[in-house]
Amino acid sequence: MAAQGGGVLFQEKVSRLLSKRDGKAVLKPNRPLALRDAVANRKLKKGEATCITEMSMLMACWKQNNFVDGLCSDEVKSFYTCVEKAQAAMKDKSEKNSHQGGRLHPKLATTLLKRYPNLRTEI
């Protein structure tokens, strides 16, 4: 019964798109109505910046000590440990996203679409 109701709604939408006079479609697509075998290659959003306080402390130490690394070894170590933690967190997050079925990277989506191409005829 629900399938019949959905069919009626679909028929009503199609009838609204047809012209009253000719019965031909009012909207004419400028491209064929078929899916492409590629996805737009857009860059994914970058995450927020990490380790800013450690970096600013390191640069302040360098400025106070005329850019001598030996005098700022504690700040250098804290900055590198922060960077390692942030990289590990990003790696864990990317592994979770790939396993949970999140968004595919555009390059991966394009390779999958090229492996399994769509029909080139209109529906």
Side-chain angles (χ1 to χ4, degrees), residues 40-46 105-106:
N41 194 10
R42 295 187 180 145
K43 292 182 180 177
L44 299 176
K45 290 183 179 180
K46 300 267 183 182
H105 194 275

Side-chain angles (χ1 to χ4, degrees), residues 76-122:
V76 171
K77 286 179 186 177
S78 67
F79 175 69
Y80 280 130
T81 55
C82 180
V83 168
E84 288 174 4
K85 287 179 185 177
Q87 286 177 343
M90 283 178 40
K91 186 176 180 182
D92 290 340
K93 185 178 177 183
S94 67
E95 287 177 1
K96 283 183 181 179
N97 284 346
S98 65
H99 294 305
Q100 290 179 352
R103 295 190 106 181
L104 285 177
H105 194 275
K107 287 184 180 180
L108 180 62
T110 300
T111 56
L112 287 174
L113 285 171
K114 286 185 178 180
R115 188 179 299 164
Y116 305 105
N118 294 307
L119 299 174
R120 290 290 179 187
T121 59
E122 287 191 24

Side-chain angles (χ1 to χ4, degrees), residues 3-21:
Q4 288 178 349
V8 172
L9 288 174
F10 180 72
Q11 290 296 327
E12 289 177 8
K13 288 181 182 179
V14 169
S15 66
R16 277 190 232 129
L17 292 175
L18 296 176
S19 76
K20 301 293 181 190
R21 241 185 29 206

Side-chain angles (χ1 to χ4, degrees), residues 24-79:
K24 293 183 180 177
V26 176
L27 301 173
K28 295 179 182 176
N30 56 357
R31 294 181 185 161
L33 297 176
L35 295 175
R36 292 183 8 204
D37 291 332
V39 175
N41 194 10
R42 295 187 180 145
K43 292 182 180 177
L44 299 176
K45 290 183 179 180
K46 300 267 183 182
E48 62 183 49
T50 56
C51 305
I52 299 239
T53 54
E54 287 83 358
M55 188 184 332
S56 62
M57 290 175 59
L58 175 62
M59 290 185 180
C61 180
W62 277 340
K63 189 172 183 179
Q64 287 177 354
N65 296 315
N66 293 327
F67 300 98
V68 178
D69 280 336
L71 299 175
C72 300
S73 61
D74 293 335
E75 286 82 359
V76 171
K77 286 179 186 177
S78 67
F79 175 69

